[in-house]
């Protein structure tokens, strides 16, 4: 008797085996695609944006009123501005350049007691200033005492001395890192008026203690450039934003986000999935063309509107 299977049995066995193999291949392919999708999703971890209204829009009112207004507008974070007109009519610095770190620590405690976490403070001095190195060092130590993550600086509107910037930033970088603070540099016209120009300096300094803050309104205002192509050239170095929009028509004017000509969906898209925590410091929240508010309650409303607009933009970007 022959033990060789009949042609019909062999054919059925071949078809069944082929079908099973194809099914396994499809299954493995689906698993591979799912794994790749999971890996891609992990690689695209959303940026954690911190909405921090600056006290700057309230500079004509006491600091205490600025803080209560920012909190009432729904913010959980705050960025310290420059000066405030107190009840006696005097313009008083939020934190003086020569103030001890304990003063900053006490103000931060006061903010946290109101439910506001401070995340950024102005340096109030240009990097190339004769006292720039000394004051920026003091600011870093003030920020460290207050547990504030970023100190903001920028150059003169007519330009800065690149060689001095690099020399001083290389000295300041280790100080910033030792104090768990990042010194961030934003655009302010002149030779450092674009994110690309600031990023080139940061790359040459090559210290994680010195990074870029992006101010789209200033790029459009001082240099009349579209910030959307510019931000793509410095996205890897950005660690925070000064939120400000701009209009060229019918009047050349800075304004709050959503009131100007900048597309904030396109602006934030290059940094929407960095996995980093980035403060959004609301520097200008005002409406264009109309007069500035004379009552703090009006500023409260504009602060709320700015935050809600940006929250919608971010939600759309990160959901899509």
């Amino acid at each position: 008797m022959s033990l060789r299977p009949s042609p019909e049995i062999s054919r059925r066995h071949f078809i069944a085996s082929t079908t099973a193999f194809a099914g396994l291949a499809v299954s493995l392919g689906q698993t591979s695609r799912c794994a790749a999708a999971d890996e891609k999703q992990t690689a695209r971890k959303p940026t954690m944006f911190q909405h921090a209204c600056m006290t700057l829009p309230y500079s004509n009112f006491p600091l205490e009123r600025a803080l209560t207004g920012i909190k009432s507008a729904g913010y959980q974070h705050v960025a310290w501005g420059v000066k405030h007109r107190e009840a006696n009519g005097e313009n008083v610095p939020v934190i003086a350049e020569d103030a001890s770190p304990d003063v900053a620590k006490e103000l931060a405690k006061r903010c946290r007691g109101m439910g506001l976490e401070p995340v950024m403070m102005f340096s109030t001095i240009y990097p190339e200033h004769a006292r720039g190195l000394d004051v920026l060092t003091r600011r870093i130590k003030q920020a460290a005492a207050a547990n504030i993550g970023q100190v903001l600086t920028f150059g003169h509107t007519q330009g800065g001395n690149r060689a001095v910037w690099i020399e001083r930033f290389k000295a300041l970088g280790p100080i910033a890192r030792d104090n768990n603070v990042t010194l961030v540099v934003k655009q302010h016209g002149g030779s450092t008026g674009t994110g690309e120009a600031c990023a080139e300096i940061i790359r040459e300094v090559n210290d994680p203690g010195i990074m870029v803050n992006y101010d789209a309104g200033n790029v459009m205002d001082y240099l009349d450039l579209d910030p959307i192509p510019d931000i793509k050239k410095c996205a890897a170095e950005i660690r925070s934003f000064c939120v400000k929009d701009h209009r060229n028509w019918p009047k050349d004017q800075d304004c709050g986000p959503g009131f100007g000509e900048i597309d904030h969906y396109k602006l934030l898209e290059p940094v929407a999935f960095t996995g980093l925590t980035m403060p959004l410091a609301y520097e200008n929240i005002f409406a264009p063309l109309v007069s500035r508010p004379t009552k703090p309650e009006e500023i409260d409303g504009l602060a709320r509107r700015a935050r809600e607009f940006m929250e919608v933009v971010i939600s759309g970007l990160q959901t899509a």
Side-chain angles (χ1 to χ4, degrees):
M1 179 185 294
S2 173
L3 296 178
R4 188 172 60 185
S6 69
E8 181 61 28
I9 293 174
S10 296
R11 187 167 61 84
R12 286 201 304 268
H13 179 74
F14 174 77
I15 293 172
S17 299
T18 303
T19 302
F21 179 79
L24 177 61
V26 170
S27 177
L28 289 173
Q30 290 174 339
T31 302
S32 177
R33 286 194 296 273
C34 289
D38 289 342
E39 184 178 348
K40 182 178 180 182
Q41 184 63 30
T42 300
R44 284 175 55 80
K45 185 177 180 181
T47 301
M48 179 74 71
F49 290 108
Q50 296 175 319
H51 300 273
C53 189
M54 284 190 178
T55 65
L56 190 67
Y58 293 86
S59 58
N60 286 329
F61 301 94
L63 176 59
E64 183 71 18
R65 179 58 184 83
L67 296 174
T68 57
I70 290 168
K71 182 60 183 176
S72 72
Y75 288 85
Q76 297 179 11
H77 299 86
V78 64
W80 294 349
V82 183
K83 292 183 178 181
H84 287 268
R85 182 174 290 118
E86 297 299 330
N88 61 4
E90 184 180 355
N91 284 321
V92 179
V94 174
I95 294 289
E97 291 180 355
D98 58 354
S100 73
D102 285 341
V103 174
K105 183 177 180 179
E106 186 58 34
L107 178 56
K109 181 180 177 181
R110 183 172 148 201
C111 290
R112 293 185 180 106
M114 301 173 66
L116 289 171
E117 182 67 29
V119 295
M120 183 187 294
M121 60 183 286
F122 270 91
S123 67
T124 69
I125 197 164
Y126 298 139
E128 68 267 31
H129 192 280
R131 296 184 297 108
L133 185 58
D134 177 58
V135 173
L136 287 171
T137 299
R138 287 176 177 269
R139 291 304 197 192
I140 289 169
K141 292 181 178 180
Q142 289 172 347
N147 198 23
I148 291 177
Q150 296 190 7
V151 172
L152 177 68
T153 189
F154 46 86
H156 193 282
T157 55
Q158 300 305 311
N161 188 322
R162 180 188 175 101
V164 172
W165 276 44
I166 291 171
E167 177 187 350
R168 291 189 172 172
F169 285 162
K170 284 186 174 181
L172 289 164
I175 298 172
R177 283 186 284 108
D178 287 347
N179 285 276
N180 199 30
V181 172
T182 303
L183 182 64
V184 289
V185 188
K186 77 167 184 169
Q187 307 73 51
H188 200 237
S191 59
T192 53
T194 64
E196 180 182 17
C198 291
E200 286 175 353
I201 293 173
I202 269 59
R203 290 172 195 142
E204 187 167 343
V205 173
N206 193 28
D207 190 305
I210 315 291
M211 301 302 288
V212 172
N213 171 287
Y214 202 81
D215 187 329
N218 276 3
V219 173
M220 191 170 179
D221 182 16
Y222 290 112
L223 301 184
D224 196 23
L225 292 175
D226 182 355
I228 306 304
D230 179 55
I231 196 171
K232 295 176 182 178
K233 300 173 184 176
C234 63
E237 287 75 30
I238 293 173
R239 292 298 179 271
S240 59
F241 284 76
C242 280
V243 179
K244 182 192 302 170
D245 208 333
H246 188 83
R247 296 199 67 83
N248 284 329
W249 184 92
K251 184 178 180 180
D252 187 350
Q253 188 177 20
D254 283 337
C255 54
F259 283 136
E261 300 175 15
I262 298 172
D263 187 330
H264 281 75
Y265 287 90
K266 292 180 179 178
L267 181 71
L268 293 185
E269 190 276 333
V271 295
F273 291 89
T274 65
L276 300 172
T277 296
M278 284 191 188
L280 298 177
Y282 291 71
E283 182 176 335
N284 191 318
I285 56 176
F286 299 114
L289 308 178
V290 299
S291 300
R292 290 285 178 93
T294 57
K295 298 179 180 179
E297 293 79 11
E298 296 173 313
I299 303 177
D300 298 342
L302 288 167
R304 180 179 295 276
R305 188 215 67 85
R307 174 183 58 78
E308 291 176 345
F309 170 79
M310 293 296 285
E311 285 177 343
V312 170
V313 170
I314 293 165
S315 176
L317 281 173
Q318 294 183 336
T319 299

